Amino acid sequence: MSLRISFAGRRALVLGSAVAALALTACTPPGEPSTQPPGPGTPPPPAVQEQQSGGGGQTFEGTLAQPGGQGGAFTYNPQLAPAGAQVKATVDGSEQSTVVTFTVTGLQPNRGYAAHAHVNACGPTGDAAGPHFQNQQDPAAGPGNPSSNPAYANPQNEIWLDLQTDAQGAGSSTATVPFGITGERAPKSIVVHEESNTNTGAGQAGTAGGRAACLNIQS
C-alpha cells in the first residue's frame, strides 16, 4: 500500500506502512482492547469487582480481599472465606419479581454457608452492610435490633442465598422472590455468614452467625 500526497503541484510518494499503522491505531473503536503492549510504568488492571449488564440482568463479581483495599468484595474471616476466593451475583427481575443467583469458588470445601442480601454496601467491617434487605420492613426492628420475626425474616420477604460448597470449595444458590428491587430502594450487598444455614425459628429467624465475607451488588 502507498499514499500519494500533493505539495504545490508536485507529488511525493510516501511509503504507507508507517502511516497506515498509525491510522489503524488511531481508528481503534472505543472499547476495543489495544494490541500494543503497555508502556513502562503502566499499572496492571485491578483484579477487583466488575459489573456487567445485558439481557440476563446485571452481574457483579469480585475477588475477596482484605477490607480497606480497592474493589467491592471483602473477607472478614479469612479462615472461612479466604482472600482470593471468587464471588459472583447475577440480579435479574422486574417490578413484580426478582431472581438472584450467587456463585462462589475458593471457599472452604464441603461446607454450608448462609448468605443474604443486605441494605448497605460492604465496608471495613461486616456490620457496615447493615441488616437484611426486606421487601416489607419489620416495624419492630431497628438499629441494634435486627428483625428475627418469621413473619418478616423469611425467604419470601428477604433474599436468602444459602449454599453448599463441593470438594473444590465451589457452590451456587438461586433465590426467586415475589417482589422487584428496581428503583432507589434495593439491596446493596450480599453477605456470606459463618453458619451453614439460616435459622428460621421464632426469635432467631434470619440469623446466621458472624459475617465472613461481602460482595457489593449496587449499580
Side-chain angles (χ1 to χ4, degrees):
M1 184 194 306
S2 63
L3 177 66
R4 292 184 179 275
I5 306 177
S6 178
F7 295 95
R10 298 176 59 188
R11 292 188 176 182
L13 181 62
V14 180
L15 292 177
S17 57
V19 177
L22 179 60
L24 287 173
T25 302
C27 295
T28 301
E32 291 292 330
S34 172
T35 58
Q36 300 299 317
T42 301
V48 292
Q49 185 193 36
E50 295 182 359
Q51 177 185 336
Q52 305 169 6
S53 61
Q58 288 185 298
T59 297
F60 304 86
E61 55 187 310
T63 302
L64 294 185
Q66 293 294 330
Q70 293 182 341
F74 304 110
T75 176
Y76 308 113
N77 185 335
Q79 182 176 359
L80 296 182
Q86 304 290 316
V87 287
K88 180 172 73 172
T90 300
V91 182
D92 190 14
S94 64
E95 294 182 356
Q96 290 75 37
S97 65
T98 303
V99 179
V100 181
T101 298
F102 185 54
T103 304
V104 302
T105 57
L107 297 187
Q108 290 294 325
N110 301 313
R111 190 188 192 282
Y113 288 89
H116 318 103
H118 282 244
V119 297
N120 297 331
C122 307
T125 67
D127 291 341
H132 293 182
F133 174 85
Q134 293 185 328
N135 181 43
Q136 298 293 328
Q137 294 176 289
D138 184 348
N145 181 36
S147 175
S148 59
N149 181 347
Y152 295 93
N154 62 67
Q156 287 76 47
N157 191 49
E158 300 182 347
I159 300 174
W160 293 11
L161 294 156
D162 295 10
L163 56 84
Q164 176 74 35
T165 60
D166 61 16
Q168 286 71 49
S172 182
S173 177
T174 298
T176 302
V177 292
F179 55 84
I181 57 173
T182 58
E184 294 184 1
R185 187 173 178 270
K188 295 181 175 60
S189 64
I190 292 176
V191 172
V192 178
H193 291 264
E194 296 175 353
E195 292 189 13
S196 59
N197 58 271
T198 305
N199 293 309
T200 58
Q204 293 185 333
T207 62
R211 302 181 181 192
C214 185
L215 170 68
N216 281 332
I217 59 169
Q218 55 186 340
S219 300

